[in-house]
Amino acid sequence: MSFEVFPPKTDAAFASVKAATEEIAQLKPAFMSVTYGAGGGTSAYTLEIARNIEAQYGVPMLAHLTCVSSTREMVAERIAAMKAAGIENVMALRGDLTPELEGADRSNWPYRYAVDLIRELRESGGDFCIGGACYPEVHPESANQKEDIAHIKAKVEAGCQFLTTQMFFDNNLLYNFLYKLREAGVTVPVVAGIMPITNANQVERAIKLSGSHMPQRFKSLVDKFGSDPAAMKQAGIAYATDQIIDLFANNVTNIHVYTMNKPDVAAQIQRNLSDILGK
Ligand code: FAD
């Protein structure tokens, strides 16, 4: 099991994010990932946090990198900074299109898709282990799943060595997706991304961000406990734990938990699974 954290958006928030990520690192996950602001604004923090956790806690780090609307020079600089920071594992992403970017003429962009960044990382001589994103419920810009999976396959052929999924709340959607990936000849490890929803406000944001289907079982839980923060947190952690147990039972054993920088949530999930994880 591994954990994701996100970097601070401002200098003022740096100390609290650093403390939270250190607490999460003390749980000794298989690895931790640090996300990257699409516009590159938080890029320095991504590397700073990744370097600190790896050096101090010995937890292998995965640094995210996005390329949307970047120039070749900008990406070359970022790759050089990652090499200098000793980062060996990179999650290569396109990044979301902001409303302004959506309307832009993208035909001349050096990086239109994540696959362009993956090729660049492969050719950079950095010997990086490269990951990519995948979407059990289809990326919102894709016309259909077949097309989306063909694009995922192209990322793997370009040098992506593992895939991490977007959050999902119905495991059957993941199992179905995995069958289709394997059928298409994509054989790299797939890490299942699990988002523990611990407050009612998160629900709307999560759906908007990911477009994920909320099963009735989950909706009922939010309806019942959403107005009681402590109960919602307990129920959300239990739901995520249950999803993970079902994944393990079905031999999906690489799990990435989107911690939202909450050490108590990460720790509780790990405690709930102590015998299963052997921790
Ligand atoms: P791509 O793989 O480029 O796919 C984007 C879309 O283009 C898909 O619909 C795909 O099917 C399509 N496509 C790909 N290739 C082609 C082609 N040749 N022709 C036509 N269409 C094509 N965002 C951040 O800003 N920072 C982060 O740290 C971050 N971390 C993430 C981690 C995970 C695990 C996931 C699942 C998402 C993350 N995101 C992050 C969000 C991500 O940037 C967005 O979902 C983005 O919209 C797509 O990124 P991608 O790398 O999947 O893009």
Side-chain angles (χ1 to χ4, degrees):
M1 195 159 74
S2 52
F3 295 129
E4 179 175 292
V5 294
F6 57 81
K9 289 198 172 66
T10 60
D11 282 344
F14 186 77
S16 66
V17 171
K18 184 165 176 272
T21 56
E22 288 183 355
E23 245 187 89
I24 293 169
Q26 284 167 42
L27 298 169
K28 296 279 173 216
F31 70 89
M32 281 169 70
S33 71
V34 192
T35 64
Y36 188 91
T42 59
S43 58
Y45 297 127
T46 297
L47 289 189
E48 179 78 22
I49 287 177
R51 188 171 37 195
N52 173 51
I53 298 288
E54 186 144 337
Q56 284 210 36
Y57 298 91
V59 175
M61 292 306 292
L62 169 67
H64 292 205
L65 180 63
T66 64
C67 59
V68 67
S69 77
S70 296
T71 62
R72 290 212 177 276
E73 292 70 34
M74 283 156 80
V75 168
E77 237 173 68
R78 289 173 201 161
I79 294 176
M82 291 207 294
K83 282 187 199 163
I87 300 294
E88 294 177 327
N89 309 302
V90 184
M91 173 62 77
L93 300 145
R94 186 196 67 182
D96 274 324
L97 297 175
T98 57
E100 307 85 71
L101 293 178
E102 260 173 36
D105 173 13
R106 287 181 250 159
S107 54
N108 292 327
W109 286 7
Y111 306 96
R112 292 176 66 188
Y113 301 106
V115 69
D116 303 319
L117 177 60
I118 292 167
R119 281 196 199 103
E120 185 117 344
L121 282 161
R122 220 1 105 236
E123 287 160 11
S124 72
D127 199 20
F128 292 114
C129 171
I130 304 174
C134 65
Y135 302 83
E137 297 175 63
V138 185
H139 185 269
E141 287 166 43
S142 279
N144 54 56
Q145 190 162 49
K146 203 169 167 203
E147 190 181 276
D148 207 28
I149 288 179
H151 295 143
I152 292 169
K153 193 172 180 190
K155 293 201 275 197
V156 171
E157 284 167 355
C160 168
Q161 291 153 288
F162 69 97
L163 297 160
T164 304
T165 75
Q166 179 61 284
M167 65 182 90
F168 55 92
F169 300 93
D170 178 346
N171 287 1
N172 289 325
L173 294 169
L174 178 84
Y175 301 139
N176 206 295
F177 174 64
L178 289 179
Y179 280 129
K180 289 182 179 158
L181 268 188
R182 301 312 185 209
E183 215 171 67
V186 177
T187 56
V188 294
V190 176
V191 181
I194 294 292
M195 169 76 93
I197 300 280
T198 54
N199 66 68
N201 299 337
Q202 233 181 311
V203 179
E204 209 173 302
R205 250 198 8 251
I207 299 177
K208 197 169 157 221
L209 209 80
S210 65
S212 305
H213 162 68
M214 291 277 169
Q216 189 53 44
R217 205 176 133 247
F218 188 80
K219 282 190 201 147
S220 309
L221 179 152
V222 179
D223 287 345
K224 182 82 179 166
F225 304 115
S227 55
D228 178 342
M232 184 61 223
K233 184 170 171 186
Q234 200 166 47
I237 290 173
Y239 191 93
T241 303
D242 192 42
Q243 264 194 289
I244 297 171
I245 292 172
D246 181 71
L247 290 168
F248 271 114
N250 285 283
N251 298 318
V252 178
T253 53
N254 298 312
I255 314 284
H256 198 51
V257 177
Y258 298 121
T259 70
M260 304 301 286
N261 294 0
K262 292 180 187 152
D264 54 336
V265 172
Q268 186 60 51
I269 290 179
Q270 190 159 295
R271 265 198 303 277
N272 291 348
L273 298 165
S274 55
D275 286 331
I276 290 169
L277 295 170
K279 282 203 175 197

